[in-house]
Amino acid sequence: MYSIAGKVARINLSNNTIEIEPTEKYKKLMGGRAVGSYIVFNEIPETAHPLSPDNIITFNTGPLTGTLSPSAGRINISSKNVATGGISYANAGGHFAPELKYAGFDHLIIKGKATKPVYLYIHNHKIQIKSAEHLWGKDTWETEDIIIDELKDERIHVASIGQAGENLVTMACIMFDRSRASGWGGCGAVMGSKNLKAIAVRGTDSLEVYEPDRFFDFNKSLWKRFSNSKTIQLFHKYGNLGTSGAGGIDGKLAQSVKNMEDEVWEADKTLKVREIIFKEKYEVRQLANFTCPINCSRYYHVKEGKFSGQKLEALKTNVYRAFGSNMDIADREYILMANEMADRYGINCDSLSAVIAWAIDVYQRGLIGKKTTGGMDLHWGDGELQLKLFKLITFRQGFGDILAQGVYRASQIIGKDTGKYAMHAKGHGMCEQAIRSHKGWALGIMTSPIGGGHLAGAPNTEQKRISPEEGDRLFGVKTAGQPTVYEGKGRLVAWFEKYKTIADIAGTCIFATYWVDISLIGPDDFATLITYATDEKWKGKELLKLGEYIYNIEKAFNTLHAGFTRKDDKPPYKLTQIPISSGEFAGERLLPDKWEEMLDEYYTAHGWDLKTGWQTRQCLMKLGLNEVIERLEKAGKFPENNNYNKR
Amino acid sequence: MTLKYLLEIDRNKCTGCQACVLACSYHHSKKFDLTCSSCIDILRNRKNGNIEITLDQACCDMCPNEEIPLCMQFCAVKAINFVRRTEKYLS
């Protein structure tokens, strides 16, 4: 096989065993998220608690990773989701994934629990399990520094957890290369539950592709497309922060404000924290992930003020939204410090923001008081309070111990109608913008198998306002570029779910695809890249079929492990009842009746049952997923079993 | 024959993506290889964001069959430029 390292390592931390198997075994799945989801579906028992030794965590690279294919340096992480009990997958950039391939491994499959803290050192085909007792209690930056110092190699790339992962905080994530997060599903807590502090990789192998000249020439043409793309030119100029989700270049685009109460932030606040101001005051240079022509990242030095001396790679749109507008904090210094703390503690900013903003929200509504908060007065726009809560959650102290369980469980513990204000999808906290006005975007977030997030089926065509002709030509949906229209969005989301799965399988960043610009990598381009890279011939349509195949495995995992049904695909109270206050989309909210119609269209597009939201035998037979049929059959989870109200 | 021009990489513009390193390795070995077959070496300093670049001029043949060297074609931020050999030594 070409374009792969050739080996998969199965590591059992309970008995310190490492088994090696050939990557060829997973050939039909290609790589990345497909291998991760397949393994967790087949190997995690339905009775396994996400934080038990029976949970599995996988690290997966794709067939394009380590080559010159644009932005193909993502690492996929799959496991059972700590927040939802369903499936989790997440991916991160940086340089870890190509280094893992150069070290001889395409995938790591880790289970069990070490008796004492350990880290893995993977170096040119060898894997060592080393003591991490001296690293326990350290943050991710300290951990990385110590590992690199003790292994005496500046070129090592490290994946690590901070104190949030050690303390099994539901929102804990894994940090790669200090500042690249794999955020979703509490995967940092899964590592913590296994006493696995870090994975360090270093490799000096090379990669060969099947048809080197054709692969190389095609990549040349792709890189030209990137340099000609207006969207990519904007990324170069304004970074991730300036292009979307943070008010945009002029501060007029949607934002998530005060626990997603509204999507318009006051102009004076937005203007204080616009990208251009961060650029002028702090930017030292632009940075990029491995072989990435987008360079959405920036390096900042803070030379004055409260946190003078701060140096970090920052600031993603999500982070800005989570620690800025959603907390009503228009203070650059506090936003950047929250960014650093999230990186160091290893904590997902979206779900952390969801639980802190919820706490402030329900306190302000009088649903909780100082007795619950441990004497704290919770209010909006307080940077010091945010950092204090951040620490209490990470170290599970006082009120922070309740919040550390995530917004959904915290609201269940507190009760008293506070659940109405918990912004979550399937139990996983969220912090999103444009979710009331952009109906397809909202549907993609709420139906995401990992519990929200816009990286599953949420299309970007509405933000881009693509023409009806383009929408029809590319997706068979004329309304694809019309944000407030419900019709057609069920089909559009189903298409993007399959397509974005391909990117996660290949190892490519979603920013390099149709998702942000239809001139970038589409299904047929992926097929060309993979055909030239591997010795397998693919067409775009066949790749979409593989995407559908994997999506159905993930859906079945959720039905079996978490018991999700149609009612778990519905938006929270605030989004259906509290409209946008002003601006272009004033008055917009998600209308419950229209939502149900959109869900019907979405299930129909997948061939799923309308009443339960479950998969049908026919749909699974068409995809050849006989093992999924058997599992659902055994569990009585087909629509005709008529037991969908039972969890 | 001594080449009239050299390549120079602007370390302030470089984003550390390593694409030029891989393009160079492909030119020399038809493989993607960060370690042995490339004339360029890039190391990112984790603590201050700086990028250290080494370009082995003795190994660089300027990709004679290409319109411009491959490393330049794969640099999204145009951090790689030609400089006249004499100017380089004079400066």
Side-chain angles (χ1 to χ4, degrees):
Chain A
M1 282 175 79
Y2 290 85
S3 204
I4 58 162
K7 290 199 291 289
V8 178
R10 285 181 172 271
I11 300 152
N12 186 335
L13 294 171
S14 293
N15 55 19
N16 280 347
T17 56
I18 300 167
E19 290 170 25
I20 305 295
E21 52 186 27
T23 308
E24 190 141 13
K25 190 175 164 189
Y26 304 98
K27 193 172 180 177
K28 72 166 185 176
L29 298 163
M30 200 178 301
R33 179 176 140 199
V35 174
S37 291
Y38 183 84
I39 298 283
V40 300
F41 178 81
N42 282 298
E43 299 186 22
I44 299 175
E46 283 154 37
T47 51
H49 188 279
L51 298 176
S52 74
D54 284 342
N55 195 3
I56 288 172
I57 186 162
T58 70
F59 292 76
N60 314 95
T61 68
L64 301 179
T65 301
T67 73
L68 251 181
S69 186
S71 317
R74 309 293 292 185
I75 183 85
N76 174 79
I77 294 93
S78 295
S79 68
K80 185 162 178 171
N81 194 311
V82 180
T84 73
I87 200 159
S88 171
Y89 60 80
N91 65 63
H95 296 236
F96 182 93
E99 197 72 26
L100 184 62
K101 277 177 90 169
Y102 298 144
F105 296 94
D106 298 295
H107 309 283
L108 308 175
I109 302 165
I110 302 168
K111 70 175 188 180
K113 180 182 179 180
T115 49
K116 288 179 178 172
V118 294
Y119 77 93
L120 302 178
Y121 177 38
I122 302 174
H123 183 201
N124 282 344
H125 305 270
K126 285 185 191 147
I127 301 177
Q128 288 174 267
I129 302 173
K130 295 173 80 80
S131 170
E133 286 184 78
H134 59 307
L135 301 172
W136 210 251
K138 305 285 184 198
D139 69 40
T140 61
W141 292 8
E142 292 165 337
T143 300
E144 187 171 315
D145 288 347
I146 295 169
I147 288 177
I148 287 172
D149 282 349
E150 72 190 22
L151 297 175
K152 297 182 177 56
D153 190 343
E154 272 291 316
R155 289 167 199 272
I156 283 172
H157 293 280
V158 178
S160 64
I161 57 167
Q163 296 92 333
E166 292 177 5
N167 295 328
L168 310 182
V169 172
T170 305
M171 298 81 84
C173 65
I174 305 169
M175 296 305 299
F176 297 78
D177 295 328
R178 282 167 86 92
S179 54
R180 320 301 311 188
S182 120
W184 232 250
C187 50
V190 175
M191 264 179 78
S193 74
K194 298 188 176 310
N195 271 333
L196 178 59
K197 179 67 178 170
I199 304 174
V201 292
R202 176 77 177 107
T204 54
D205 272 5
S206 57
L207 278 174
E208 282 183 77
V209 293
Y210 181 58
E211 294 191 76
D213 289 340
R214 293 172 93 173
F215 181 78
F216 195 80
D217 287 344
F218 187 64
N219 273 299
K220 260 192 204 172
S221 69
L222 279 180
W223 278 70
K224 273 184 197 147
R225 270 198 236 167
F226 276 76
S227 66
N228 293 332
S229 156
K230 286 199 174 120
T231 307
I232 299 305
Q233 287 162 9
L234 283 175
F235 267 111
H236 285 186
K237 199 165 176 188
Y238 301 110
N240 179 291
L241 180 61
T243 42
S244 63
I249 299 158
D250 56 7
K252 288 182 182 164
L253 291 180
Q255 310 197 52
S256 53
V257 181
K258 293 184 182 176
N259 194 30
M260 295 177 71
E261 180 87 358
D262 202 351
E263 304 195 1
V264 181
W265 207 18
E266 290 98 312
D268 62 324
K269 292 177 180 167
T270 305
L271 293 176
K272 274 188 202 165
V273 288
R274 276 194 312 159
E275 188 274 342
I276 189 73
I277 299 174
F278 282 95
K279 189 185 184 83
E280 284 168 7
K281 287 191 84 73
Y282 311 119
E283 187 175 312
V284 177
R285 68 180 315 129
Q286 299 192 359
L287 289 170
N289 286 317
F290 191 79
T291 60
C292 183
I294 302 171
N295 46 285
C296 64
S297 190
R298 302 291 182 264
Y299 201 89
Y300 292 145
H301 282 195
V302 178
K303 291 177 181 156
E304 56 185 23
K306 290 184 280 287
F307 307 114
S308 179
Q310 199 188 7
K311 293 177 180 179
L312 77 167
E313 191 178 345
L315 173 71
K316 294 281 175 273
T317 298
N318 289 52
V319 182
Y320 160 93
R321 210 161 44 213
F323 303 136
S325 60
N326 205 41
M327 304 287 188
D328 200 29
I329 294 172
D331 183 319
R332 292 181 298 275
E333 294 172 13
Y334 278 115
I335 292 173
L336 281 179
M337 183 42 73
N339 190 146
E340 176 171 337
M341 284 174 71
D343 287 357
R344 283 178 175 270
Y345 290 158
I347 195 159
N348 171 257
C349 60
D350 281 36
S351 34
L352 178 67
S353 180
V355 74
I356 295 180
W358 164 82
I360 299 171
D361 196 356
V362 295
Y363 182 91
Q364 289 290 319
R365 288 175 198 274
L367 296 171
I368 61 170
K370 283 187 179 172
K371 204 175 157 192
T372 307
T373 66
M376 280 183 290
D377 179 23
L378 307 186
H379 48 268
W380 298 113
D382 185 340
E384 281 299 325
L385 174 74
Q386 175 172 261
L387 299 186
K388 185 177 177 185
L389 284 168
F390 212 152
K391 278 186 193 161
L392 292 176
I393 290 170
T394 301
F395 295 98
R396 304 196 72 141
Q397 293 163 346
F399 184 44
D401 190 42
I402 295 174
L403 303 184
Q405 300 184 51
V407 68
Y408 175 71
R409 277 186 218 135
S411 71
Q412 298 258 304
I413 293 165
I414 301 286
K416 292 187 279 189
D417 229 17
T418 60
K420 269 166 75 174
Y421 306 102
M423 301 310 293
H424 71 93
K426 299 180 174 57
H428 197 297
M430 68 171 165
C431 176
E432 298 283 354
Q433 97 296 353
I435 194 168
R436 290 170 173 84
S437 51
H438 293 45
K439 311 305 180 190
W441 180 254
L443 182 67
I445 290 166
M446 295 313 303
T447 55
S448 160
I450 56 173
H454 48 253
L455 298 179
N460 217 4
T461 51
E462 294 162 325
Q463 278 93 331
K464 303 292 287 184
R465 309 282 169 99
I466 67 165
S467 69
E469 294 73 33
E470 276 176 328
D472 193 28
R473 179 172 62 84
L474 296 167
F475 317 110
V477 179
K478 287 183 183 160
T479 56
Q482 297 165 27
T484 57
V485 176
Y486 291 84
E487 290 75 23
K489 299 301 168 60
R491 283 182 292 124
L492 185 68
V493 167
W495 191 93
F496 268 93
E497 285 174 343
K498 298 170 201 169
Y499 166 66
K500 288 162 86 175
T501 304
I502 302 171
D504 291 349
I505 293 172
T508 301
C509 176
I510 205 74
F511 278 3
T513 71
Y514 264 18
W515 190 56
V516 301
D517 185 340
I518 54 176
S519 77
L520 303 179
I521 307 176
D524 290 334
D525 299 316
F526 271 121
T528 305
L529 284 166
I530 291 162
T531 299
Y532 293 159
T534 67
D535 52 354
E536 293 276 297
K537 284 195 167 32
W538 285 90
K539 289 180 180 159
K541 274 186 185 170
E542 294 165 344
L543 284 176
L544 288 168
K545 206 76 183 164
L546 176 63
E548 190 178 7
Y549 181 92
I550 295 305
Y551 217 83
N552 272 276
I553 288 177
E554 292 159 349
K555 168 88 175 171
F557 186 101
N558 279 347
T559 308
L560 290 165
H561 286 252
F564 292 149
T565 63
R566 179 171 179 132
K567 65 179 181 297
D568 296 292
D569 287 337
K570 295 183 185 182
Y573 168 84
K574 273 191 164 186
L575 302 183
T576 60
Q577 301 303 322
I578 304 174
I580 297 174
S581 65
S582 56
E584 183 186 2
F585 295 111
E588 281 293 332
R589 62 190 168 100
L590 297 171
L591 301 171
D593 289 352
K594 299 295 281 180
W595 185 268
E596 295 303 327
E597 287 172 22
M598 194 161 61
L599 264 187
D600 281 351
E601 187 191 301
Y602 167 77
Y603 293 140
T604 305
H606 273 297
W608 298 343
D609 179 58
L610 299 190
K611 190 177 171 195
T612 59
W614 283 349
Q615 289 149 298
T616 61
R617 277 189 181 76
Q618 294 87 325
C619 131
L620 295 170
M621 275 165 71
K622 249 180 156 169
L623 292 165
L625 279 166
N626 296 328
E627 66 267 46
V628 174
I629 294 175
E630 271 174 40
R631 290 272 299 275
L632 290 171
E633 188 84 66
K634 206 172 155 194
K637 300 271 182 163
F638 276 119
E640 58 271 27
N641 297 122
N642 205 22
N643 62 353
Y644 68 97
N645 285 323
K646 294 177 196 157
R647 285 252 167 129
Chain B
M1 193 182 82
T2 309
L3 295 165
K4 266 187 171 172
Y5 294 90
L6 293 169
L7 292 180
E8 199 168 61
I9 305 179
D10 182 341
R11 67 187 64 240
N12 295 319
K13 265 191 178 177
C14 173
T15 63
C17 85
Q18 312 260 17
C20 60
V21 185
L22 288 190
C24 184
S25 79
Y26 169 83
H27 170 66
H28 289 286
S29 66
K30 299 256 169 172
K31 290 179 186 172
F32 298 110
D33 176 9
L34 287 184
T35 312
C36 298
S37 52
S38 183
C39 308
I40 309 168
D41 181 70
I42 289 175
L43 181 62
R44 192 187 288 196
N45 184 317
R46 295 169 295 111
K47 293 180 187 173
N48 60 20
N50 288 347
I51 290 172
E52 294 162 27
I53 302 166
T54 315
L55 202 164
D56 181 353
Q57 301 288 1
C59 138
C60 175
D61 62 4
M62 296 287 219
C63 301
N65 298 324
E66 297 284 337
E67 206 173 312
I68 58 169
L70 286 169
C71 55
M72 292 174 78
Q73 293 185 45
F74 282 92
C75 183
V77 291
K78 298 184 170 49
I80 309 176
N81 294 296
F82 292 113
V83 285
R84 284 185 75 90
R85 187 171 280 268
T86 47
E87 284 171 5
K88 169 81 183 167
Y89 285 116
L90 285 172
S91 66

